[in-house]
Coordinates of all heavy atoms in Angstrom, one line a residue:
M1002 N 0.8 -1.2 0.0 CA 0.0 0.0 0.0 C 0.9 1.2 0.0 O 0.5 2.2 -0.6 CB -0.9 -0.1 1.3 CG -1.7 1.2 1.3 SD -2.9 1.4 0.0 CE -3.9 2.8 0.4
L1003 N 1.9 1.3 0.7 CA 2.7 2.4 0.8 C 3.4 2.8 -0.5 O 3.4 4.0 -1.0 CB 3.9 2.2 1.8 CG 5.0 3.4 1.9 CD1 4.3 4.6 2.4 CD2 6.1 2.8 2.9
A1004 N 4.0 1.8 -1.3 CA 4.5 2.1 -2.6 C 3.5 2.5 -3.6 O 3.7 3.5 -4.3 CB 5.2 0.9 -3.1
K1005 N 2.3 1.9 -3.5 CA 1.2 2.3 -4.4 C 0.8 3.7 -4.2 O 0.6 4.5 -5.1 CB 0.1 1.3 -4.3 CG -1.1 1.6 -5.2 CD -2.2 0.7 -5.0 CE -3.5 1.1 -5.7 NZ -4.7 0.3 -5.4
A1006 N 0.6 4.0 -2.9 CA 0.2 5.5 -2.6 C 1.2 6.4 -3.1 O 0.9 7.5 -3.6 CB -0.1 5.6 -1.1
R1007 N 2.5 6.1 -2.8 CA 3.6 6.9 -3.2 C 3.6 7.2 -4.7 O 3.8 8.3 -5.2 CB 4.9 6.3 -2.6 CG 6.1 7.2 -3.0 CD 7.4 6.7 -2.5 NE 7.7 5.4 -3.0 CZ 8.3 5.1 -4.2 NH1 8.6 6.1 -5.1 NH2 8.5 4.0 -4.6
E1008 N 3.5 6.1 -5.4 CA 3.5 6.2 -6.9 C 2.3 6.9 -7.4 O 2.5 7.6 -8.4 CB 3.6 4.8 -7.5 CG 5.0 4.0 -7.1 CD 4.9 2.5 -7.5 OE1 3.9 2.0 -7.9 OE2 6.0 1.8 -7.2
E1009 N 1.1 6.8 -6.8 CA -0.1 7.5 -7.3 C 0.3 9.0 -7.2 O -0.4 9.8 -8.1 CB -1.3 7.1 -6.6 CG -1.8 5.7 -6.9 CD -3.0 5.3 -6.0 OE1 -3.4 6.1 -5.2 OE2 -3.5 4.3 -6.3
L1010 N 1.0 9.5 -6.2 CA 1.3 10.9 -6.1 C 2.5 11.3 -6.9 O 3.1 12.4 -6.8 CB 1.5 11.2 -4.7 CG 0.1 11.2 -3.7 CD1 0.6 11.5 -2.3 CD2 -0.8 12.2 -4.3
M1011 N 3.1 10.3 -7.5 CA 4.4 10.4 -8.3 C 5.5 11.0 -7.4 O 6.2 12.0 -7.9 CB 4.1 11.2 -9.6 CG 3.0 10.5 -10.4 SD 2.8 11.3 -12.1 CE 2.8 13.0 -11.9
L1012 N 5.6 10.4 -6.3 CA 6.6 10.9 -5.4 C 7.9 9.9 -5.4 O 7.7 8.8 -5.4 CB 6.2 11.0 -3.9 CG 5.1 12.1 -3.6 CD1 4.6 11.9 -2.3 CD2 5.7 13.5 -3.9
T1013 N 9.0 10.4 -5.3 CA 10.1 9.5 -5.1 C 10.2 9.1 -3.6 O 9.5 9.8 -2.7 CB 11.5 10.2 -5.5 OG1 11.7 11.3 -4.6 CG2 11.5 10.6 -6.9
Q1014 N 11.0 8.1 -3.2 CA 11.2 7.8 -1.8 C 11.8 9.0 -1.0 O 11.4 9.3 0.1 CB 12.0 6.6 -1.6 CG 11.3 5.3 -1.9 CD 12.2 4.0 -1.9 OE1 13.4 4.2 -1.8 NE2 11.6 2.9 -1.9
E1015 N 12.6 9.8 -1.7 CA 13.2 10.9 -1.1 C 12.2 12.0 -0.8 O 12.3 12.7 0.2 CB 14.4 11.4 -2.0 CG 15.3 12.5 -1.3 CD 16.5 12.9 -2.1 OE1 17.5 12.2 -1.9 OE2 16.3 13.8 -2.9
E1016 N 11.4 12.2 -1.8 CA 10.3 13.3 -1.7 C 9.4 12.8 -0.6 O 8.8 13.7 0.2 CB 9.6 13.4 -3.0 CG 10.4 14.1 -4.1 CD 9.9 14.1 -5.5 OE1 9.2 13.1 -5.8 OE2 10.2 15.0 -6.3
L1017 N 8.9 11.6 -0.5 CA 8.1 11.2 0.6 C 8.7 11.4 1.9 O 8.1 11.9 2.9 CB 7.7 9.7 0.3 CG 6.8 9.1 1.5 CD1 5.5 9.9 1.6 CD2 6.4 7.7 1.1
A1018 N 9.9 10.9 2.0 CA 10.6 11.1 3.4 C 10.7 12.6 3.7 O 10.4 12.9 4.8 CB 12.1 10.6 3.1
A1019 N 10.9 13.4 2.8 CA 11.0 14.9 3.2 C 9.6 15.4 3.7 O 9.6 16.1 4.7 CB 11.5 15.7 2.0
R1020 N 8.6 15.0 3.0 CA 7.3 15.4 3.4 C 6.9 14.8 4.7 O 6.2 15.5 5.4 CB 6.2 14.8 2.3 CG 6.0 15.7 1.2 CD 4.9 14.9 0.4 NE 4.5 15.7 -0.8 CZ 3.4 15.7 -1.5 NH1 2.4 14.8 -1.0 NH2 3.2 16.3 -2.5
A1021 N 7.3 13.6 5.0 CA 7.0 13.0 6.3 C 7.9 13.4 7.4 O 7.6 13.1 8.6 CB 7.0 11.5 6.1
G1022 N 9.1 13.9 7.1 CA 10.0 14.4 8.1 C 10.8 13.2 8.7 O 11.1 13.1 9.8
I1023 N 11.0 12.2 7.8 CA 11.8 11.0 8.1 C 13.0 10.8 7.2 O 13.0 11.5 6.2 CB 10.9 9.7 8.2 CG1 10.3 9.4 6.9 CG2 9.8 9.9 9.3 CD1 9.6 8.1 6.9
T1024 N 13.8 9.8 7.5 CA 14.9 9.6 6.4 C 14.4 8.8 5.3 O 13.4 7.9 5.3 CB 16.0 8.8 7.2 OG1 15.6 7.5 7.6 CG2 16.6 9.6 8.4
R1025 N 15.2 8.9 4.1 CA 14.9 8.1 3.0 C 15.1 6.7 3.3 O 14.4 5.7 2.8 CB 15.8 8.5 1.8 CG 15.6 7.7 0.6 CD 16.5 8.1 -0.6 NE 16.8 7.1 -1.5 CZ 17.4 5.9 -1.3 NH1 17.9 5.7 -0.1 NH2 17.6 5.1 -2.2
E1026 N 16.1 6.4 4.2 CA 16.3 5.0 4.5 C 15.2 4.4 5.3 O 14.9 3.2 5.1 CB 17.6 5.0 5.4 CG 18.9 5.3 4.6 CD 19.1 6.6 4.3 OE1 18.6 7.6 5.0 OE2 20.0 6.9 3.3
S1027 N 14.4 5.1 6.1 CA 13.3 4.7 6.7 C 12.3 4.4 5.8 O 11.6 3.2 5.9 CB 12.7 5.7 7.7 OG 13.6 5.8 8.8
V1028 N 12.0 5.1 4.8 CA 11.1 4.8 3.8 C 11.4 3.5 2.9 O 10.6 2.6 2.8 CB 10.9 5.9 2.7 CG1 10.0 5.6 1.5 CG2 10.3 7.1 3.5
L1029 N 12.7 3.4 2.7 CA 13.2 2.3 2.0 C 13.1 1.0 2.8 O 12.6 0.0 2.3 CB 14.6 2.5 1.6 CG 15.4 1.3 1.0 CD1 14.7 1.0 -0.5 CD2 16.9 1.6 0.8
N1030 N 13.5 1.0 4.0 CA 13.3 -0.1 5.0 C 11.9 -0.6 5.2 O 11.6 -1.7 5.1 CB 14.0 0.1 6.3 CG 15.4 0.2 6.0 OD1 16.1 -0.4 5.2 ND2 16.2 0.9 7.1
I1031 N 11.0 0.4 5.3 CA 9.6 0.0 5.5 C 9.0 -0.6 4.3 O 8.3 -1.6 4.2 CB 8.7 1.3 6.0 CG1 9.2 1.5 7.5 CG2 7.3 1.0 5.9 CD1 8.7 3.0 7.9
S1032 N 9.3 0.1 3.1 CA 8.8 -0.3 1.7 C 9.3 -1.8 1.4 O 8.5 -2.6 0.8 CB 9.3 0.6 0.6 OG 8.6 1.8 0.9
S1033 N 10.5 -2.0 1.9 CA 11.1 -3.3 1.5 C 10.8 -4.4 2.5 O 11.0 -5.7 2.3 CB 12.6 -3.3 1.3 OG 13.1 -3.0 2.6
G1034 N 10.1 -4.0 3.6 CA 9.7 -5.1 4.6 C 11.0 -5.2 5.7 O 10.8 -6.1 6.5
R1035 N 12.0 -4.5 5.5 CA 13.1 -4.8 6.5 C 12.8 -4.2 7.9 O 13.4 -4.7 8.8 CB 14.4 -4.1 6.0 CG 15.1 -4.9 4.9 CD 16.5 -4.3 4.5 NE 16.3 -4.1 3.2 CZ 16.8 -3.1 2.4 NH1 17.3 -2.1 3.0 NH2 16.7 -3.1 1.1
S1036 N 11.7 -3.3 7.9 CA 11.5 -2.7 9.1 C 9.9 -2.6 9.1 O 9.4 -2.2 8.0 CB 12.2 -1.3 9.3 OG 11.5 -0.6 10.4
R1037 N 9.3 -2.7 10.1 CA 7.9 -2.4 10.3 C 7.6 -0.9 10.6 O 6.5 -0.5 10.3 CB 7.2 -3.4 11.3 CG 7.1 -4.8 10.9 CD 5.7 -5.4 11.3 NE 5.8 -6.6 10.8 CZ 4.8 -7.3 10.3 NH1 3.6 -6.7 10.4 NH2 4.7 -8.5 9.8
G1038 N 8.5 -0.3 11.2 CA 8.4 1.1 11.6 C 7.6 1.4 12.8 O 6.7 0.5 13.1
S1039 N 7.6 2.4 13.4 CA 6.9 2.9 14.5 C 5.6 3.3 14.2 O 5.2 3.8 13.0 CB 7.6 3.8 15.4 OG 7.7 5.1 14.8
I1040 N 4.5 3.5 15.1 CA 3.3 4.0 14.7 C 3.5 5.4 14.4 O 2.8 6.0 13.5 CB 2.3 3.8 15.8 CG1 0.8 4.1 15.3 CG2 2.7 4.6 17.1 CD1 0.4 3.2 14.3
E1041 N 4.4 6.2 15.1 CA 4.6 7.6 14.8 C 5.1 7.8 13.3 O 4.7 8.6 12.6 CB 5.6 8.1 15.7 CG 5.9 9.6 15.4 CD 7.0 10.2 16.4 OE1 7.3 9.6 17.3 OE2 7.5 11.3 16.0
T1042 N 6.0 6.9 12.9 CA 6.5 6.9 11.5 C 5.3 6.7 10.6 O 5.2 7.4 9.5 CB 7.6 5.9 11.3 OG1 8.7 6.2 12.1 CG2 8.0 5.9 9.7
W1043 N 4.5 5.6 10.8 CA 3.4 5.4 9.9 C 2.4 6.5 9.9 O 1.8 6.9 8.8 CB 2.6 4.1 10.3 CG 3.3 2.9 9.8 CD1 4.2 2.2 10.7 CD2 3.5 2.3 8.6 NE1 4.8 1.2 9.9 CE2 4.3 1.2 8.6 CE3 2.9 2.6 7.3 CZ2 4.5 0.4 7.4 CZ3 3.1 1.9 6.3 CH2 4.0 0.8 6.4
A1044 N 2.2 7.3 11.0 CA 1.2 8.5 11.1 C 1.8 9.5 10.2 O 1.0 10.2 9.5 CB 1.0 8.8 12.5
R1045 N 3.2 9.8 10.3 CA 3.7 10.8 9.5 C 3.6 10.4 8.0 O 3.4 11.3 7.1 CB 5.3 10.8 9.8 CG 5.5 11.5 11.1 CD 7.0 11.4 11.4 NE 7.3 12.0 12.7 CZ 8.1 13.3 12.7 NH1 8.6 13.7 11.6 NH2 8.4 13.8 13.8
L1046 N 3.8 9.1 7.7 CA 3.6 8.8 6.2 C 2.2 9.0 5.6 O 2.0 9.5 4.6 CB 4.1 7.4 6.1 CG 5.7 7.0 6.2 CD1 5.9 5.5 6.3 CD2 6.4 7.5 5.0
A1047 N 1.2 8.6 6.6 CA -0.1 8.7 6.2 C -0.4 10.3 6.0 O -1.1 10.5 5.0 CB -1.0 8.2 7.2
R1048 N 0.0 11.1 6.9 CA -0.2 12.6 6.6 C 0.5 13.0 5.3 O -0.1 13.8 4.6 CB 0.3 13.4 7.8 CG -0.7 13.4 9.0 CD -0.3 14.3 10.1 NE 1.1 14.2 10.6 CZ 1.5 13.4 11.7 NH1 0.5 12.8 12.3 NH2 2.7 13.3 12.0
A1049 N 1.7 12.6 5.1 CA 2.5 13.0 3.9 C 1.8 12.6 2.7 O 1.8 13.2 1.6 CB 3.8 12.5 4.0
L1050 N 1.0 11.4 2.7 CA 0.4 10.9 1.5 C -1.1 11.3 1.5 O -1.8 11.0 0.5 CB 0.5 9.3 1.6 CG 1.8 8.8 1.5 CD1 1.8 7.3 1.8 CD2 2.4 9.0 0.0
D1051 N -1.6 12.0 2.5 CA -2.9 12.4 2.6 C -3.9 11.3 2.5 O -5.0 11.3 1.9 CB -3.2 13.5 1.6 CG -4.6 14.3 1.9 OD1 -4.9 14.4 3.1 OD2 -5.2 14.8 0.9
I1052 N -3.7 10.1 3.3 CA -4.6 9.0 3.3 C -4.7 8.7 4.9 O -3.9 8.9 5.6 CB -4.1 7.9 2.6 CG1 -2.6 7.3 3.0 CG2 -4.0 8.2 1.1 CD1 -2.2 6.1 2.4
P1053 N -5.9 8.1 5.2 CA -6.0 7.8 6.5 C -5.1 6.6 7.0 O -4.8 5.7 6.3 CB -7.4 7.1 6.6 CG -8.1 7.5 5.3 CD -7.0 7.8 4.3
L1054 N -4.6 6.9 8.2 CA -3.6 5.9 8.8 C -4.1 4.4 8.7 O -3.3 3.6 8.3 CB -3.3 6.2 10.3 CG -2.3 5.4 11.0 CD1 -0.9 5.3 10.3 CD2 -2.1 5.8 12.5
G1055 N -5.3 4.3 9.0 CA -5.9 2.9 8.9 C -5.7 2.2 7.6 O -5.4 1.1 7.4
D1056 N -6.0 3.0 6.5 CA -5.8 2.6 5.1 C -4.4 2.1 4.8 O -4.1 1.3 4.1 CB -6.4 3.5 4.1 CG -7.8 3.8 4.3 OD1 -8.5 3.1 4.9 OD2 -8.3 4.7 3.4
L1057 N -3.5 2.9 5.3 CA -2.0 2.7 5.1 C -1.5 1.4 5.8 O -0.8 0.6 5.2 CB -1.2 4.0 5.5 CG 0.3 3.9 5.2 CD1 0.4 3.7 3.6 CD2 1.0 5.1 5.6
I1058 N -1.9 1.2 7.0 CA -1.4 0.1 7.8 C -2.3 -1.2 7.7 O -1.8 -2.2 8.3 CB -1.1 0.5 9.3 CG1 -2.4 0.9 9.9 CG2 -0.1 1.5 9.3 CD1 -2.2 1.0 11.5
S1059 N -3.5 -1.2 7.2 CA -4.3 -2.3 7.2 C -3.6 -3.5 6.6 O -3.8 -4.7 7.3 CB -5.8 -2.0 6.6 OG -5.6 -1.6 5.3
P1060 N -2.9 -3.5 5.5 CA -2.4 -4.7 5.1 C -1.4 -5.3 6.0 O -1.2 -6.4 6.2 CB -1.6 -4.2 3.7 CG -2.4 -3.0 3.3 CD -2.7 -2.3 4.6
I1061 N -0.5 -4.3 6.7 CA 0.4 -4.9 7.7 C -0.4 -5.5 8.9 O 0.2 -6.6 9.4 CB 1.3 -3.7 8.1 CG1 2.0 -3.2 6.9 CG2 2.2 -4.1 9.2 CD1 2.7 -1.9 7.1
W1062 N -1.4 -4.8 9.4 CA -2.1 -5.3 10.5 C -2.6 -6.7 10.2 O -2.6 -7.6 10.9 CB -3.3 -4.2 10.8 CG -4.0 -4.7 12.0 CD1 -5.1 -5.4 12.1 CD2 -3.6 -4.4 13.5 NE1 -5.6 -5.6 13.4 CE2 -4.7 -5.0 14.2 CE3 -2.6 -3.7 14.0 CZ2 -4.5 -4.8 15.6 CZ3 -2.5 -3.7 15.4 CH2 -3.4 -4.2 16.2
S1063 N -3.2 -6.8 9.0 CA -3.8 -8.1 8.5 C -2.7 -9.2 8.6 O -3.0 -10.4 9.0 CB -4.4 -8.1 7.2 OG -5.5 -7.2 7.2
D1064 N -1.5 -8.9 8.1 CA -0.5 -9.8 8.0 C 0.0 -10.2 9.4 O 0.3 -11.3 9.9 CB 0.9 -9.3 7.4 CG 0.7 -9.2 5.8 OD1 -0.3 -9.8 5.3 OD2 1.5 -8.6 5.2
S1065 N 0.0 -9.2 10.4 CA 0.4 -9.5 11.7 C -0.7 -10.4 12.5 O -0.3 -11.2 13.3 CB 0.6 -8.2 12.6 OG 1.6 -7.3 12.1
E1066 N -1.9 -10.0 12.2 CA -3.0 -11.0 12.8 C -2.8 -12.3 12.3 O -2.9 -13.2 13.2 CB -4.3 -10.3 12.4 CG -4.7 -9.1 13.0 CD -5.4 -9.2 14.2 OE1 -6.3 -10.1 14.3 OE2 -5.1 -8.5 15.2
A1067 N -2.6 -12.7 11.1 CA -2.4 -14.0 10.6 C -1.3 -14.6 11.2 O -1.2 -15.8 11.6 CB -2.3 -13.9 9.2
D1068 N -0.1 -13.9 11.3 CA 1.1 -14.5 11.9 C 0.9 -14.8 13.4 O 1.6 -15.8 14.0 CB 2.3 -13.5 11.8 CG 2.7 -13.4 10.4 OD1 2.3 -14.1 9.5 OD2 3.4 -12.3 10.2
S1069 N 0.0 -14.1 14.2 CA -0.1 -14.3 15.6 C -1.1 -15.5 15.9 O -1.2 -15.9 17.0 CB -0.6 -13.0 16.2 OG -2.0 -12.7 15.8
H1070 N -1.7 -16.1 15.0 CA -2.6 -17.2 15.2 C -1.9 -18.5 14.8 O -1.4 -18.7 13.8 CB -3.8 -17.0 14.4 CG -4.6 -15.8 14.7 ND1 -4.4 -15.1 15.9 CD2 -5.7 -15.2 14.1 CE1 -5.4 -14.1 15.9 NE2 -6.1 -14.1 14.8
D1071 N -2.0 -19.5 15.7 CA -1.4 -20.7 15.6 C -2.3 -21.7 14.7 O -1.8 -22.6 14.1 CB -1.0 -21.5 16.9 CG 0.1 -20.7 17.6 OD1 1.0 -20.1 16.8 OD2 0.0 -20.8 18.8
G1072 N -3.6 -21.3 14.8 CA -4.6 -22.1 14.0 C -6.1 -21.7 14.4 O -6.2 -20.5 15.0
P1073 N -7.0 -22.4 14.0 CA -8.3 -21.9 14.2 C -8.7 -21.8 15.7 O -8.2 -22.7 16.5 CB -9.2 -23.0 13.5 CG -8.2 -23.9 12.9 CD -6.9 -23.5 13.2
A1074 N -9.5 -21.0 16.0 CA -9.9 -20.8 17.5 C -10.7 -22.1 17.9 O -11.6 -22.6 17.0 CB -10.7 -19.6 17.7
S1075 N -10.7 -22.6 19.0 CA -11.4 -23.7 19.4 C -12.6 -23.3 20.3 O -12.7 -22.2 20.8 CB -10.7 -24.8 20.1 OG -9.6 -24.3 20.8

């Protein structure tokens, strides 16, 4: 979702980082999955992209939920 939102605004990673007030490396690490980032970083990215925070992190939240379950609830 992050890369798609960034591309829709035709922003480079550097431009997004500047808008969000974070480093380009942070954008790169989050985009590549090397880092999940802090909620503050995600909030900054959402503001920079002008999209709701929930929309931006919902794919990650869904992945985390799936990873935290060992199997079906009994």
Side-chain angles (χ1 to χ4, degrees):
M1002 176 64 177
L1003 178 61
K1005 181 180 175 188
R1007 180 179 62 79
E1008 290 168 4
E1009 285 178 1
L1010 292 175
M1011 299 187 319
L1012 296 172
T1013 65
Q1014 289 180 342
E1015 187 171 274
E1016 290 167 333
L1017 175 57
R1020 279 187 176 198
I1023 63 174
T1024 65
R1025 182 186 154 288
E1026 289 75 21
S1027 292
V1028 173
L1029 177 63
N1030 288 336
I1031 290 169
S1032 296
S1033 68
R1035 281 185 235 140
S1036 171
R1037 291 219 179 214
S1039 70
I1040 192 68
E1041 179 182 349
T1042 299
W1043 284 101
R1045 287 172 174 251
L1046 289 166
R1048 280 192 302 270
L1050 294 165
D1051 196 29
I1052 60 175
L1054 177 59
D1056 290 354
L1057 187 59
I1058 65 172
S1059 62
I1061 296 161
W1062 185 264
S1063 297
D1064 289 346
S1065 295
E1066 289 268 317
D1068 291 345
S1069 67
H1070 296 344
D1071 292 330
S1075 30

